[in-house]
Amino acid sequence: MPTPLSGQKMLDQDFLTLRAKIIEVAAGLDRIDRSAADDQAVYDDPRMTQIAESLALLATDEPNRAERIQLAFSLK
């Protein structure tokens, strides 16, 4: 059985991919902001609330972020 990678090795391996995905999310939100400058309804949309909740969950250091974020996007 292979030995699991250390946290530092995982960071070394995944950093560029994670950075690119975070930038992609930021760019998508910037596009929404530019398009919705005169449309408050976009910010009242429940999907924007889901995005905001998931970003807050992402910013924590608590375990199982992926699971908790998936639940934030599930139908309530």
Side-chain angles (χ1 to χ4, degrees), residues 21-37:
K21 290 178 180 185
I22 291 168
I23 292 169
E24 183 177 349
V25 169
L29 292 172
D30 286 347
R31 287 190 298 274
I32 291 170
D33 287 343
R34 283 192 300 274
S35 297

Side-chain angles (χ1 to χ4, degrees), residues 1 8 17 21 25 30 38 42-43 49-51 64 66 68 70-71 75:
M1 175 174 259
Q8 186 65 48
T17 301
K21 290 178 180 185
V25 169
D30 286 347
D38 298 325
V42 169
Y43 299 105
T49 302
Q50 290 175 318
I51 290 170
N64 302 317
R68 292 184 295 123
Q70 186 173 8
L71 288 172
L75 296 176

Side-chain angles (χ1 to χ4, degrees), residues 58-73:
L58 184 63
T60 71
D61 60 356
E62 296 176 22
N64 302 317
R65 284 179 287 235
E67 177 183 355
R68 292 184 295 123
I69 289 170
Q70 186 173 8
L71 288 172
F73 282 109

